Amino acid sequence: AQTVTQSQPEMSVQEAETVTLSCTYDTSESNYYLFWYKQPPSRQMILVIRQEAYKQQNATENRFSVNFQKAAKSFSLKISDSQLGDTAMYFCAFISTGGGADGLTFGKGTHLIIQP
Amino acid sequence: GAVVSQHPSRVICKSGTSVKIECRSLDFQATTMFWYRQFPKQSLMLMATSNEGSKATYEQGVEKDKFLINHASLTLSTLTVTSAHPEDSSFYICSAQTSGGAVRGDTQYFGPGTRLTVL
């Protein structure tokens, strides 16, 4: 079974600053996908970014980028030029690519607060 | 695109009654849907995987006779909480996956969730 660990329960930064959320995972699989999801107060889960484990290049989506270190099983999310609307819970998630369709395994989440 | 709806968004029921929650993919066909449960200030926990036309696969510790899942079409999955009790009060979230299963790592699109309160 795989596990996902987010060691920062809460983080707070000033608007326009850069912030990095950490995530580590444990798996014996070699092929998998990693995701960062955002859950604002509305509780709607929103996909932020997705990384395929077989790709060495780190995924980027506008102000969001990841630092994927496969050997270290680390998958951190960097948010540049943070905005007030980035305030939310952020969940790191893992899914294996083997064995058919599987649900996501989530970390416990990091509550990110962007201060004006 | 890739919109998933859930109905109802909020439901309050008496202990011992059954509650049905619908999950619909509005603009795509979902071969697989997932049901998650989220307690306050906690993460999402997978309850079951639902494939169209076949029986759902439940995670360990989830009572399949209590949480009935039906995936009758490629756009609709339902979760029925039978004989609900206060400890079943939670936020239930569904997600839908377009095609190909996890082999292709298809993104899961989430519904807005249903808050269930059992009195």
Side-chain angles (χ1 to χ4, degrees):
Chain A
Q2 47 273 346
T3 58
V4 178
T5 302
Q6 293 179 250
S7 59
Q8 305 151 311
E10 185 170 292
M11 296 187 71
S12 179
V13 298
Q14 296 293 122
E15 191 175 8
E17 290 183 347
T18 294
V19 60
T20 299
L21 309 183
S22 65
C23 172
T24 58
Y25 58 94
D26 189 24
T27 182
S28 58
E29 304 277 348
S30 57
N31 296 316
Y32 48 87
Y33 292 81
L34 295 161
F35 303 84
W36 278 98
Y37 278 91
K38 168 184 177 180
Q39 188 180 44
S42 67
R43 303 194 76 172
Q44 171 72 59
M45 296 290 285
I46 301 166
L47 176 66
V48 175
I49 202 164
R50 173 176 178 265
Q51 174 79 43
E52 295 146 327
Y54 65 85
K55 288 187 176 179
Q56 291 186 336
Q57 186 173 5
N58 289 324
T60 62
E61 285 289 339
N62 300 314
R63 297 183 295 109
F64 300 88
S65 61
V66 298
N67 183 3
F68 174 48
Q69 302 290 328
K70 190 172 183 179
K73 294 181 180 174
S74 171
F75 182 61
S76 61
L77 173 70
K78 186 172 82 171
I79 305 174
S80 303
D81 186 26
S82 58
Q83 301 173 359
L84 296 178
D86 295 333
T87 293
M89 283 293 295
Y90 285 81
F91 293 99
C92 178
F94 170 103
I95 191 167
S96 168
T97 58
D102 292 317
L104 292 159
T105 299
F106 286 93
K108 291 185 180 296
T110 296
H111 184 203
L112 176 64
I113 301 168
I114 308 300
Q115 304 276 8
Chain B
V3 179
V4 177
S5 70
Q6 272 185 251
H7 178 80
S9 59
R10 183 178 297 233
V11 58
I12 301 172
C13 69
K14 292 182 179 180
S15 184
T17 61
S18 294
V19 174
K20 180 184 283 189
I21 302 169
E22 291 186 349
C23 176
R24 292 182 184 272
S25 56
L26 298 184
D27 52 2
F28 66 98
Q29 293 187 327
T31 51
T32 305
M33 289 183 170
F34 304 88
W35 288 95
Y36 296 85
R37 184 172 179 174
Q38 185 178 30
F39 288 108
K41 299 188 184 302
Q42 293 190 23
S43 188
L44 283 74
M45 296 295 294
L46 178 68
M47 298 175 66
T49 301
S50 165
N51 289 295
E52 185 264 340
S54 62
K55 289 185 178 180
T57 302
Y58 291 82
E59 294 299 299
Q60 192 172 10
V62 177
E63 300 175 57
K64 61 181 180 181
D65 293 331
K66 180 167 189 62
F67 298 99
L68 300 179
I69 292 172
N70 183 275
H71 194 153
S73 75
L74 286 172
T75 59
L76 173 64
S77 177
T78 60
L79 167 68
T80 301
V81 183
T82 62
S83 186
H85 288 96
E87 57 266 29
D88 298 323
S89 297
S90 187
F91 194 64
Y92 292 87
I93 308 176
C94 73
S95 71
Q97 192 166 275
T98 51
S99 64
V103 174
R104 284 169 37 199
D106 286 336
T107 299
Q108 292 183 27
Y109 298 94
F110 285 82
T114 297
R115 182 182 299 281
L116 170 63
T117 303
V118 185
L119 303 176

